[in-house]
Amino acid sequence: MRALLPLLIGAATLLAQTPPAAKAPTKAPAKSPAAGPSARLLHPALAKAKAPDLFRVKFTTTKGDFVVEVSRDSAPLGADRFYNLVRIGFFTNVSFYRVIGGALIQFGLSPFPAVSKAWSTAPIHDDPVKLHNVAGTITFAMGGPNTRTTQFFINLADNTPYDNDGFAPIGKVTEGMDVVKTLYSGYGEMAEQPGGRGPSQQRTTNEGKAYLDKDFPLLDSVKSATVIFPEPVAPAATAKKAPAPATTKK
């Protein structure tokens, strides 16, 4: 799989903003998902629903909740992909594996290698950049034109130079930015970047959450991601057929 190495331009600047890894309190390692992935996670071609014009997603994480609001008009293709990933439960147990304090937080590699492999061959085309990469916006990570799949980053600062590189934000964090800022950042930059001591993007892709839990047990992760607006519409109840009127024999 071609590794998605987002933010190649300006990586040195981001590294300079990364604080030294602090010694964190010991935390019990999270358990890797025992069961395999559901079938719907393995078939990107089936995740083709059109997103609502405006929708909100609540992320429940190991540190608390935050809400992302997406306006489809800002980035239609990206909004549709994000919406479908949420609907099929893609983000459950996904780790925030690249957390650079004061710069960005990246996530979106599946805990299951087979799922990462399936989605690696289903990139979407780019959207024009309409929003700016300012603090609180959420944007697809990519490794070049038309390579967006399942990875995202949340800007922790104004990273507007990324606008010129084609990184199109799809929405913004509207609630819980204080939670986002507390996601564990002690490991710093990922191994593939200069000076990186954090998780390897390639190994995370190939080995999944088992690798992260073993070698980087303090990482925070998503417990669930749910569309909270508009609220799902329950299927209409089937009306019972009225009984035929009784007939009287003459």
Side-chain angles (χ1 to χ4, degrees):
M1 169 185 173
R2 178 179 178 181
L4 297 178
L5 295 178
L7 316 179
L8 292 177
I9 297 177
T13 302
L14 290 178
L15 183 60
Q17 296 173 347
T18 306
K23 187 175 181 180
T26 302
K27 182 168 76 174
K31 293 183 179 180
S32 298
S38 65
R40 62 183 180 174
L41 292 176
L42 295 168
H43 298 285
L46 300 180
K48 296 295 185 182
K50 180 181 176 180
D53 292 339
L54 180 72
F55 64 98
R56 299 186 188 98
V57 174
K58 182 174 78 171
F59 282 85
T60 297
T61 78
T62 47
K63 281 288 177 60
D65 299 346
F66 66 89
V67 175
V68 170
E69 180 176 276
V70 177
S71 173
R72 189 174 183 275
D73 179 65
S74 299
L77 299 178
D80 288 350
R81 170 56 62 88
F82 179 65
Y83 179 70
N84 280 281
L85 290 172
V86 173
R87 289 177 72 242
I88 65 174
F90 179 90
F91 294 107
T92 302
N93 289 320
V94 164
S95 296
F96 299 97
Y97 77 94
R98 184 192 187 197
V99 184
I100 306 174
L104 60 87
I105 293 172
Q106 187 168 329
F107 65 105
L109 286 174
S110 174
F112 305 106
V115 175
S116 291
K117 182 178 180 181
W119 287 87
S120 71
T121 60
I124 58 174
H125 289 290
D126 295 333
D127 284 302
V129 179
K130 294 183 180 180
L131 301 178
H132 296 297
N133 281 278
V134 297
T137 52
I138 181 169
T139 306
F140 268 94
M142 61 183 186
N146 304 316
T147 59
R148 299 182 299 171
T149 55
T150 66
Q151 290 203 64
F152 300 83
F153 62 92
I154 299 173
N155 288 294
L156 299 179
D158 288 352
N159 293 321
T160 51
Y162 302 143
D163 299 355
N164 296 327
D165 299 326
F167 291 95
I170 64 168
K172 60 184 178 181
V173 176
T174 55
E175 298 177 38
M177 195 62 191
D178 55 332
V179 172
V180 173
K181 291 178 180 178
T182 65
L183 296 172
Y184 186 70
S185 62
Y187 298 122
E189 181 59 279
M190 62 184 181
E192 284 83 358
Q193 296 286 26
R197 296 174 287 112
S200 161
Q201 188 179 66
Q202 192 62 54
R203 287 193 63 183
T204 304
T205 302
N206 294 340
E207 302 174 42
K209 193 165 173 60
Y211 156 67
L212 295 177
D213 286 349
K214 179 178 180 293
D215 291 358
F216 302 92
L218 298 179
L219 289 176
D220 287 300
S221 59
V222 179
K223 292 182 176 180
S224 65
T226 310
V227 176
I228 58 172
F229 175 85
E231 295 182 3
V233 178
T238 304
K240 292 185 178 180
K241 187 176 181 180
T247 57
T248 304
K249 290 184 178 180
K250 293 184 179 180

